[in-house]
Amino acid sequence: YAVGWFGESAWALRLPAVVFGVAALPALYYLGRQIAGRQEAFLAALFMALNYQYVWYSQNARGYTGLLFGVLFASILFIRLLSATTPPARLIVGYAIVAALSAWMQLTAAFVVLVHGLVWLALASKPNRAERFAAAFPAFLALLLTGVFTLALYAPLLGPGRGQVTDAINA
């Protein structure tokens, strides 16, 4: 979209990578604060910002920083889903949208959603199954919506019009 908005230029092609690369730093810091502490989160964000490969990926147009930002943000939302007793619907839908868009940018994000599903399964199978399952049901619903949204995003490539899409790409 950046090329469509700003014209065909190298900086317009790389703009999304830069934006997602910069946005991933506070996302990592926030996730680190949820998991560990303030100092660990700061060091993780600092080391990522100073990492040569990260800086390089933040200026190429392959979508890796979009993948990183998406999975960090989805993980933040997933932790919130699991920790809330009755999460609001916007949190459930928000996780599904962020995770599906991440998988749309880079299909590798589907593995992170799969791991979130395994975490949900481990929590739902604990003793006091009825209580734990009821608490984890919103996360299950979010994972299910993620699958639906991801399939909807990939539907143009999977359906009967697939030949038309690939013909247009190859033309």
Side-chain angles (χ1 to χ4, degrees), residues 70-71 73-82 87-103 109-125 132-133 135-152:
V71 298
F73 193 40
S75 296
I76 290 167
L77 295 176
F78 187 72
I79 290 171
R80 290 178 121 185
L81 274 169
L82 291 178
R90 70 179 190 276
L91 184 59
I92 294 168
V93 173
Y95 171 83
I97 289 171
V98 168
L101 286 174
S102 299
F111 290 110
V112 174
V113 175
L114 178 67
V115 170
H116 288 170
L118 292 174
V119 168
W120 173 83
L121 187 62
L123 290 175
S125 64
R132 182 61 72 180
F133 188 79
F137 182 73
F140 173 74
L141 185 59
L143 292 165
L144 188 64
L145 277 175
T146 300
V148 170
F149 292 166
T150 304
L151 285 175

Side-chain angles (χ1 to χ4, degrees), residues 2-72:
V3 172
W5 291 339
F6 302 116
E8 290 190 28
S9 64
W11 72 269
L13 186 65
R14 293 180 174 156
L15 182 64
V18 171
V19 170
F20 282 125
V22 171
L25 292 169
L28 177 64
Y29 177 78
Y30 187 79
L31 180 63
R33 293 257 334 249
Q34 281 185 324
I35 294 172
R38 176 175 276 160
Q39 185 176 11
E40 291 86 354
F42 175 75
L43 288 173
L46 176 68
F47 290 151
M48 187 167 80
L50 298 176
N51 185 312
Y52 167 78
Q53 287 86 3
Y54 182 73
V55 172
W56 185 72
Y57 282 132
S58 293
Q59 58 183 321
N60 78 20
R62 294 185 182 206
Y64 296 127
T65 54
L67 167 70
L68 178 63
F69 174 75
V71 298
L72 287 172

